[in-house]
Amino acid sequence: MQYRTIIRILGLLVALFSVTMIPPAIVSIIYEDGSGLPFLLAFILCLITGLAIWYPNRSFRNDLRAKEGFLIVVLFWTVLASFGALPFLLLEQPQMSTTDAFFESFSGLTTTGATVIEGIDYLPKAIQYYRQQIQWLGGMGIIVLAVAILPILGVGGMQLYRAETPGPVKDSKMTPRIADTAKHLWYIYFSLTIVCATAFWVVGMNWFDAICHAFSTIAIGGFSNYDASLGHFNSVGVNVVCVIFLWIAALNFALHYAAASGRSLKGYFHDPELKTFFIIQISLVLICFSVLIQFNWFTDAGIAFDQALIQSVSISTTAGFTTTEFSNWPVFLPIMLIFSSFIGGCAGSTGGGLKVIRVLLLYLQGKREVDRLIHPKAIYSVKLGERALPDRVVEAVWGFFSAYAMIFVIIMVGLIATGMDDVTAFSATAATLNNLGPGLGEVAATYAEVSDSGKWLLILAMLFGRLEVFSLLVLFSPTFWRS
Amino acid sequence: MQYRTIIRILGLLVALFSVTMIPPAIVSIIYEDGSGLPFLLAFILCLITGLAIWYPNRSFRNDLRAKEGFLIVVLFWTVLASFGALPFLLLEQPQMSTTDAFFESFSGLTTTGATVIEGIDYLPKAIQYYRQQIQWLGGMGIIVLAVAILPILGVGGMQLYRAETPGPVKDSKMTPRIADTAKHLWYIYFSLTIVCATAFWVVGMNWFDAICHAFSTIAIGGFSNYDASLGHFNSVGVNVVCVIFLWIAALNFALHYAAASGRSLKGYFHDPELKTFFIIQISLVLICFSVLIQFNWFTDAGIAFDQALIQSVSISTTAGFTTTEFSNWPVFLPIMLIFSSFIGGCAGSTGGGLKVIRVLLLYLQGKREVDRLIHPKAIYSVKLGERALPDRVVEAVWGFFSAYAMIFVIIMVGLIATGMDDVTAFSATAATLNNLGPGLGEVAATYAEVSDSGKWLLILAMLFGRLEVFSLLVLFSPTFWRS
Ligand SMILES: [K+]
Ligand SMILES: [K+]
C-alpha cells in the first residue's frame, strides 16, 4: 500500500478544503452576523494541518492501484467531513455537541440532508450558508466519484459505464484522465447551479435563499435555511423550479457532459435508464395525486397536484425537501415514498438509493430467471437496449443489492438496540442509507432526539450509501490489508 | 400444455385427499364431540369431485415438461388448501367466514401456522386434530417438493441438489423417480413423527396433545390445540423435546434419507449448510439469553435460558410456537428474531424463509465481489466446501433473493393500503412469506382482526413463500402460457 502517496493526496485535499471556509466568512461580513471568527479559525486549522500533512510526503507520487483508490475515496469523505465539522464545533450559537457537529457535517457532505438543528431560521446567515455549501461540495465529489472513479474501480456493476466499453454511454467518450473529466463535470455542475439559482430568484426568492437552495437542489441534498424547508415559500413556482432541477440533477452527468460538449443530444433519448427513471417518476406522482384526491386531503385539485409532484419527486430522487407533512399522508403513501427512495436517482447523478440502472437490471435479471425456468435449455442474456451485459456486471449488481440489504438490516437492528422504536429505526436507516434525509415517526423533521450512539450508526449508514456500499465494505476485508 | 393430464393428476390428488377427512371423523367419534358430520360431508365431497375430475381424463398419461411441473405444484397447494377449507366452512362451531376458512386452511397446508381462531381450547377435539393434521400433510408435501421436485425444476439455485450433480449430497444418491423418492421420504417423515409424539408423551403430554404437537413440530408448522401454544404446558421437558425435533426437521431431509438408508452418517458432519445452521442457532440463543439476563427479564437464569432456547429456535426455524410474549422482549430481540426467520431452515426441510444454504451462498458471493474489487484481474469462484458452484446456481440464488425482496415490498405496501399499521404490516408480511406464523403488533397472537382483503394478501404471501417464489412467479409470465 502506497501510504505516503495517499497521505500526500489527503494533505492536499484538506489544504484545498480550507478555501471553502472563506465564502461563509464573507457572508458573515456582508450580513454582519458576527459569526465570522469560527470560519477564519477553521480556515487556518485546515490550511495548516493540510500543509503539515502534505509537506513531508510531497515527493511521493507513485501510481496508485485500485486498492489505494478505495482508501482515498473513503478517506476523502471521512476526513473532509470531519474537518467540515470544525465550524459547528467552534460556533457559539448554536452550541453543538461533538456528535451533533459530526452528524451535521457528514449529513451535509454525503448530501443526505438529515439535520439535528432546530431553529435554522434564527441561525447566523454564515452558518445557514455554510450548511448549504457543504452539500454542494459533497454533490461535486459524488459526480466525480460516480462518473469518473467508480466505473474504473468497478463497484456494483458500474464498470458498465467505463468509457472503453461499448453501449449507451459509448458516444460520450469520457476524457480518460480523471482530473480532466472532473474539471469538465464541475463546469457543468457549476453552470447548472447558476441557472438553478437564477430560476429560483425569478420565481420570487431573494438571492441568498436562491443560492442556498440551488446548492442543495443540484446536489440533491435537501438542506434548507428554513425549518419549514421548501414549505416556507409556499409557492408553486418554487416547487416547479425545484422539481425541474431535481430531475436534471438526478440524470447521469455523463449524458449532460455528452450534450454540453455538443457531440450528441440524442444520448437523452436513447438512454434506457433515463426512460425508466421518468416512468417511475410519473407513476409516483400520479399515484400520490389520485390517493390525495380520493381522500380529499387538500382543498382543491391544483394544490393536491402541486404537493403530489414536489413531494414524490423530492423523496424519490432522495432530495428530501419537504413542503408538507407527507409522513401523515393517507394509507400507503408515506411508506411507498420511503420505498421509492431505495430506487433513487440515475447512476452518475447526485441522487442516492440503489440507482435506477441497478433496479432496472435487477428486474431484467429476474425476468431472465423466470424465462430460464420455463425453457431450461435455452440461453438467455440480460440486455440493456441492444447490448448484452457481461455476467460480471450482472453478478456485481446482484451482489450490490444483497450487500445493501445486509447493511440495512444490521444498522436497523443496531438502532433498535439503542432504544429506537421500530418504525423510526426502519425509516431512519432508509433515509440515511439512501442519502434521503427525512424519515417517518420520530425523525420526520429532525434527528435531534436520536441518541449519540444512534447518530454514529446513522453516520455510518450515510457513508455506506454514499460510497455505494462496496467502496467502504472492501476496507473490512482482511484481503484488502494484506500486501 | 398437457391440460388433461394435469387435470387427471389433480382429480386423483383430490380423491386421495378425501381420505384425510376420516381420521378427524374418528377423533370425533372417540371423544363424542358431535362434530363428525362436517368431516363425513367433506370426505364425500372431495371423493366425488376428485373422481368426477379424474374419470373423463383417466387415459391422459402423457409425459410432463418442466412447465407443467410448475402448474401442478401451484395447483397442488391451492386446490388442496381450498378443499381443506371445507370442514371449516361446514362446521357450526366455530362459525367461520369464507375468508377465515380459506385463511386457516392455507395457513395450515403451507405450514405457516398463522391462525384466525380465538378460543382454540374450546373447539371440538376433531377440529383441533384436523388443524394439526393439515399442517402435517403440508409438511409432507414440502419435503417431496423441496427434495424431489424443485431440484429438477431448478428453482432458486436448487439444481444444486440435483442427484446427478457432484457435491455435498452426492453420496445420498436420491432415487431418481419422484414417486419412489417420495415414498422413502414419507417413511422417514412418518417415523420421526412417531418418535416425536412418544417423546412429548414421555415428558408429560397426554397422547392426544402429543400427537397434535408432533404433527406441527415435524412440519415446522406451529399450530397448537391451545391458544397459549406451547406455553400452555409450561414445561422445560416439552420445550426441550420441541427444540430437538425442530432442529431435526429443519435439516435437509436428503441427509436423513442418506443416514436412514445406512449408506452414510457422515453426511451430517460434512454438510456446510448444517454447520452454518447450527452456528446461527447457537448465536441466536446466546444473544437472546444474554440480553434477557442483562434486563433481568425472568426471575432466574434457568428460566431465561429455557425461554431464550425455545423462542429463538421456534422463530428462527419458522415454527412459530410461542411460550411467552417474545414480541414484548427488550430492545432489539423481537425484530432480530423476526429477521432470523428470513434465514429459516435448511433447503429440503419443512422450514420456511430463504433457507440457510441461500444465505450462506449470498454471503460467499458477497465476499467474492469484495475480492474481485481488490484484485480485479484474479479469477474467483464461489466454493461450497471443495466444490466450485456454476454461475447459473449463483445467479439463481441472487435472483431468488431479489424476487423475495420485491414480493415482500409489494405485499407490505398492499397491506398498508388496506389500512394496516406499518409495524403490523411489516411483521405480518415477514411471518407469512417466511411461513413463520406469529408476527408483532396486532398480529402477535391471532390474525382475526385483519381485514378480508388483508387476509387474502397474506394467503398470497404464504403461497409465494411456500412455493419458493419462482414456482408461483413463473405463472405470471406471458412466456409461460405461450404454447
Ligand atoms: K438528500
Ligand atoms: K410455521
Side-chain angles (χ1 to χ4, degrees):
Chain A
M1 198 82 81
Q2 309 283 353
Y3 285 111
R4 297 198 63 174
T5 303
I6 294 170
I7 293 170
R8 177 185 65 85
I9 294 173
L10 264 190
L12 267 181
L13 280 174
V14 173
L16 267 174
F17 187 68
S18 70
V19 178
T20 69
M21 300 297 172
I22 295 174
I26 294 172
V27 169
S28 174
I29 294 166
I30 294 173
Y31 288 93
E32 297 177 340
D33 67 2
S35 69
L37 193 63
F39 292 101
L40 196 64
L41 278 173
F43 166 70
I44 295 167
L45 271 168
C46 288
L47 188 64
I48 292 176
T49 318
L51 293 178
I53 294 171
W54 165 76
Y55 190 76
N57 302 296
R58 69 193 177 286
S59 56
F60 288 87
R61 304 173 146 270
N62 296 309
D63 279 341
L64 297 178
R65 287 163 304 164
K67 266 169 81 159
E68 283 122 4
F70 287 112
L71 201 52
I72 288 179
V73 164
V74 172
L75 287 171
F76 180 93
W77 258 273
T78 48
V79 171
L80 292 196
S82 302
F83 278 95
L86 276 178
F88 296 116
L89 286 168
L90 296 169
L91 272 170
E92 284 181 12
Q93 192 234 345
Q95 190 81 46
M96 285 170 89
S97 70
T98 311
T99 301
D100 279 358
F102 274 82
F103 186 94
E104 198 75 10
S105 181
F106 273 82
S107 173
L109 203 71
T110 58
T111 77
T112 305
T115 186
V116 286
I117 302 178
E118 285 163 304
I120 298 169
D121 308 30
Y122 312 107
L123 293 180
K125 288 282 182 194
I127 195 83
Q128 287 186 1
Y129 171 87
Y130 177 72
R131 286 173 75 247
Q132 306 300 118
Q133 182 191 270
I134 203 169
Q135 287 219 313
W136 188 65
L137 295 168
M140 266 198 182
I142 290 148
I143 293 297
V144 174
L145 177 72
V147 177
I149 301 176
L150 291 184
I152 294 171
L153 297 180
V155 166
M158 288 303 104
Q159 59 268 52
L160 182 67
Y161 286 108
R162 202 178 285 179
E164 304 85 59
T165 51
V169 288
K170 174 185 160 196
D171 300 329
S172 59
K173 278 199 191 93
M174 303 299 301
T175 322
R177 286 183 48 238
I178 292 177
D180 197 44
T181 311
K183 205 182 70 187
H184 283 86
L185 288 170
W186 287 350
Y187 176 77
I188 295 167
Y189 188 80
F190 193 78
S191 314
L192 280 175
T193 310
I194 292 174
V195 179
C196 180
T198 312
F200 273 135
W201 175 75
V202 167
V203 294
M205 282 190 189
N206 65 43
W207 271 110
F208 183 79
D209 290 349
I211 292 169
C212 282
H213 286 87
F215 278 168
S216 55
T217 301
I218 299 299
I220 314 196
F223 268 164
S224 168
N225 49 329
Y226 296 100
D227 285 321
S229 188
L230 273 202
H232 170 86
F233 301 99
N234 194 18
S235 147
V236 176
V238 165
N239 293 349
V240 169
V241 167
C242 185
V243 164
I244 290 170
F245 283 91
L246 283 179
W247 275 343
I248 293 172
L251 299 182
N252 191 332
F253 270 64
L255 294 176
H256 298 324
Y257 182 55
S261 44
R263 268 175 290 182
S264 120
L265 248 170
K266 67 176 181 190
Y268 292 119
F269 300 100
H270 291 86
D271 187 37
E273 185 183 21
L274 184 148
K275 199 176 136 194
T276 311
F277 171 73
F278 279 109
I279 290 172
I280 294 168
Q281 291 291 312
I282 290 165
S283 311
L284 288 171
V285 174
L286 292 182
I287 293 170
C288 285
F289 176 62
S290 30
V291 174
L292 289 174
I293 286 292
Q294 204 192 324
F295 278 77
N296 285 312
W297 200 257
F298 291 103
T299 46
D300 74 76
I303 299 176
F305 187 79
D306 177 42
Q307 295 297 332
L309 179 72
I310 180 71
Q311 283 302 247
S312 56
V313 173
S314 165
I315 302 302
S316 65
T317 59
T318 75
F321 290 116
T322 49
T323 50
T324 180
E325 288 189 333
F326 84 93
S327 60
N328 292 332
W329 276 5
V331 289
F332 64 95
L333 295 187
I335 205 88
M336 182 189 73
L337 289 178
I338 293 288
F339 274 128
S340 78
S341 74
F342 278 94
I343 304 175
C346 297
S349 77
T350 49
L354 291 161
K355 311 290 177 296
V356 174
I357 187 78
R358 291 206 185 91
V359 175
L360 175 61
L361 288 179
L362 285 173
Y363 169 76
L364 292 174
Q365 289 160 214
K367 215 163 139 277
R368 176 178 66 165
E369 285 305 313
V370 167
D371 288 341
R372 275 180 171 175
L373 289 173
I374 298 170
H375 299 298
K377 276 164 193 157
I379 294 185
Y380 294 97
S381 59
V382 174
K383 275 191 186 168
L384 201 61
E386 292 299 298
R387 175 184 177 198
L389 297 183
D391 273 356
R392 186 126 172 193
V393 168
V394 170
E395 287 171 20
V397 170
W398 258 328
F400 185 86
F401 179 68
S402 312
Y404 210 84
M406 188 195 70
I407 298 287
F408 184 91
V409 170
I410 293 173
I411 301 234
M412 179 176 161
V413 171
L415 286 175
I416 294 173
T418 70
M420 199 181 268
D421 74 88
D422 295 358
V423 173
T424 306
F426 173 84
S427 70
T429 311
T432 48
L433 190 60
N434 294 335
N435 299 121
L436 164 61
L440 306 175
E442 301 289 309
V443 294
T446 88
Y447 285 69
E449 301 304 313
V450 175
S451 69
D452 277 6
S453 47
K455 280 173 186 152
W456 285 103
L457 270 173
L458 292 172
I459 288 174
L460 194 64
M462 293 174 199
L463 278 174
F464 266 114
R466 196 69 280 177
L467 301 176
E468 310 255 300
V469 181
F470 276 98
S471 310
L472 184 50
L473 207 56
V474 291
L475 268 57
F476 290 87
S477 160
T479 322
F480 184 86
W481 301 102
R482 243 172 263 146
S483 61
Chain B
M1 199 81 82
Q2 309 282 354
Y3 285 111
R4 298 198 64 174
T5 303
I6 294 170
I7 292 171
R8 178 185 67 85
I9 294 172
L10 266 190
L12 267 181
L13 280 174
V14 173
L16 268 175
F17 188 70
S18 71
V19 178
T20 69
M21 300 298 170
I22 295 174
I26 294 172
V27 170
S28 173
I29 293 166
I30 295 172
Y31 287 94
E32 296 176 342
D33 66 1
S35 69
L37 194 62
F39 291 103
L40 196 65
L41 278 173
F43 166 69
I44 296 168
L45 270 169
C46 288
L47 188 65
I48 292 176
T49 319
L51 293 178
I53 294 171
W54 164 76
Y55 191 75
N57 303 296
R58 69 193 178 285
S59 57
F60 288 85
R61 303 172 146 273
N62 297 309
D63 278 341
L64 297 177
R65 288 164 302 162
K67 267 170 80 161
E68 282 121 5
F70 287 112
L71 201 53
I72 288 178
V73 165
V74 172
L75 287 172
F76 180 93
W77 258 272
T78 48
V79 171
L80 292 195
S82 303
F83 277 95
L86 276 178
F88 295 116
L89 286 168
L90 295 169
L91 272 170
E92 283 180 14
Q93 194 235 345
Q95 189 81 45
M96 285 171 88
S97 70
T98 312
T99 301
D100 279 359
F102 274 80
F103 186 94
E104 199 75 9
S105 182
F106 273 82
S107 173
L109 202 71
T110 58
T111 77
T112 305
T115 186
V116 287
I117 301 177
E118 284 162 305
I120 297 169
D121 307 30
Y122 311 108
L123 292 181
K125 289 281 183 195
I127 196 81
Q128 288 185 2
Y129 171 88
Y130 178 71
R131 286 173 76 247
Q132 306 299 119
Q133 181 191 269
I134 203 168
Q135 289 217 313
W136 188 65
L137 295 169
M140 267 198 183
I142 290 148
I143 293 298
V144 175
L145 178 71
V147 177
I149 301 177
L150 291 183
I152 294 172
L153 297 180
V155 166
M158 287 305 103
Q159 59 267 54
L160 182 66
Y161 286 107
R162 203 178 284 180
E164 304 86 58
T165 52
V169 286
K170 175 185 159 195
D171 299 330
S172 60
K173 279 203 189 87
M174 303 301 300
T175 321
R177 285 184 50 238
I178 292 176
D180 197 45
T181 312
K183 206 181 67 187
H184 284 85
L185 288 170
W186 287 349
Y187 176 78
I188 296 166
Y189 188 80
F190 193 77
S191 315
L192 280 174
T193 309
I194 292 174
V195 180
C196 180
T198 311
F200 273 135
W201 176 76
V202 167
V203 294
M205 283 191 189
N206 64 43
W207 271 111
F208 183 78
D209 289 350
I211 292 170
C212 283
H213 286 89
F215 279 169
S216 55
T217 301
I218 299 299
I220 313 197
F223 269 164
S224 168
N225 49 328
Y226 296 101
D227 285 322
S229 188
L230 273 201
H232 170 85
F233 302 98
N234 194 19
S235 147
V236 175
V238 165
N239 293 347
V240 169
V241 166
C242 185
V243 163
I244 290 170
F245 283 91
L246 283 179
W247 276 341
I248 293 173
L251 298 181
N252 191 332
F253 270 64
L255 294 176
H256 297 322
Y257 182 55
S261 44
R263 270 175 290 184
S264 121
L265 247 172
K266 69 176 182 189
Y268 292 119
F269 300 99
H270 290 86
D271 186 38
E273 184 182 22
L274 185 148
K275 199 175 136 196
T276 311
F277 171 73
F278 279 110
I279 291 172
I280 294 169
Q281 291 291 311
I282 291 164
S283 311
L284 287 171
V285 174
L286 292 181
I287 293 171
C288 285
F289 176 62
S290 30
V291 173
L292 290 174
I293 287 291
Q294 204 193 325
F295 279 77
N296 285 309
W297 200 257
F298 292 103
T299 45
D300 75 76
I303 299 176
F305 187 79
D306 177 42
Q307 294 297 333
L309 179 71
I310 180 70
Q311 283 300 246
S312 57
V313 173
S314 166
I315 302 300
S316 66
T317 59
T318 75
F321 290 116
T322 49
T323 50
T324 179
E325 288 190 334
F326 84 93
S327 60
N328 292 332
W329 276 6
V331 290
F332 64 97
L333 294 188
I335 204 89
M336 181 189 74
L337 288 179
I338 292 287
F339 274 127
S340 78
S341 74
F342 278 95
I343 302 174
C346 297
S349 77
T350 48
L354 290 162
K355 311 289 177 296
V356 174
I357 185 79
R358 292 206 184 92
V359 175
L360 175 60
L361 288 179
L362 284 173
Y363 169 77
L364 292 173
Q365 290 160 212
K367 214 162 140 279
R368 176 178 67 165
E369 285 304 313
V370 168
D371 288 341
R372 275 181 171 175
L373 288 173
I374 299 169
H375 299 298
K377 276 165 192 156
I379 294 187
Y380 294 96
S381 58
V382 175
K383 274 191 189 169
L384 200 60
E386 293 298 299
R387 172 183 177 200
L389 297 183
D391 274 355
R392 185 127 173 193
V393 168
V394 171
E395 288 171 17
V397 171
W398 259 329
F400 184 85
F401 179 67
S402 312
Y404 210 82
M406 188 193 73
I407 299 286
F408 185 91
V409 170
I410 292 174
I411 303 238
M412 178 175 162
V413 170
L415 286 175
I416 294 173
T418 70
M420 199 182 265
D421 73 90
D422 295 357
V423 173
T424 307
F426 173 83
S427 71
T429 311
T432 49
L433 189 61
N434 294 336
N435 299 121
L436 164 61
L440 306 174
E442 302 288 311
V443 294
T446 89
Y447 286 69
E449 300 304 312
V450 175
S451 70
D452 277 6
S453 48
K455 279 173 187 154
W456 285 103
L457 270 172
L458 292 171
I459 288 174
L460 193 65
M462 294 174 196
L463 279 174
F464 266 114
R466 197 67 283 176
L467 301 177
E468 309 254 301
V469 181
F470 276 99
S471 311
L472 185 49
L473 208 55
V474 290
L475 268 56
F476 289 88
S477 159
T479 321
F480 184 85
W481 299 103
R482 243 172 263 146
S483 59

